[in-house]
Amino acid sequence: MGIDDYGGGQGPQPDVLVVTTNDIPGMRVERVIGEVFGLTVRSRHLGSQIGAGLKSLVGGELRGLTKTLVETRNQAMERLVEQARARGANAVLAFRFDVTEAADVGTEVCAYGTAVIVTRE
């Protein structure tokens, strides 16, 4: 698995900038649009659960589960960006992920933040 299998985030010049900070240096918030989120729920794959169980006996990274979580987070972030764009935002501040178990059948990943319109100072 290459480096792209383990990471996420945006490309170099996104039309909707997503940051974990409450502000962006050199930018001024012109308007707060409000909370936006992207949500996805992934069911557990029996094969990966068995593999993870066996791997836990000897230790080490669970690569299949790592790749699935990266894909899931990226999908949630893409949905957040789509919602922000649809509401007219060009940035999302205070971006976070929330991950929870969903009724013992899967994992819920929610990407959330505050959609805003920013301009250069």
Side-chain angles (χ1 to χ4, degrees):
M1 289 172 41
I3 191 69
D4 291 336
D5 294 325
Y6 294 107
Q10 298 183 292
Q13 296 196 347
D15 63 324
V16 176
L17 180 62
V18 178
V19 297
T20 59
T21 56
N22 292 326
D23 55 16
I24 303 169
M27 305 292 271
R28 180 178 57 248
V29 174
E30 292 292 328
R31 188 169 65 128
V32 174
I33 295 172
E35 179 189 8
V36 288
F37 67 91
L39 181 68
T40 186
V41 178
R42 294 285 177 106
S43 64
R44 292 190 181 105
H45 181 273
L46 182 59
S48 67
Q49 289 300 103
I50 292 171
L54 294 173
K55 185 72 172 184
S56 69
L57 295 174
V58 296
E61 182 181 7
L62 306 174
R63 289 183 181 211
L65 292 177
T66 299
K67 186 174 180 180
T68 298
L69 184 55
V70 167
E71 290 168 354
T72 303
R73 284 181 175 224
N74 287 341
Q75 183 179 47
M77 185 173 178
E78 288 168 10
R79 290 178 177 176
L80 167 125
V81 168
E82 288 172 13
Q83 188 182 74
R85 185 182 298 118
R87 294 180 64 191
N90 65 354
V92 175
L93 303 178
F95 170 73
R96 303 285 187 271
F97 282 112
D98 185 45
V99 180
T100 58
E101 293 298 312
D104 290 332
V105 295
T107 302
E108 171 192 341
V109 176
C110 182
Y112 63 95
T114 303
V116 297
I117 296 175
V118 295
T119 57
R120 293 214 178 271
E121 291 184 332

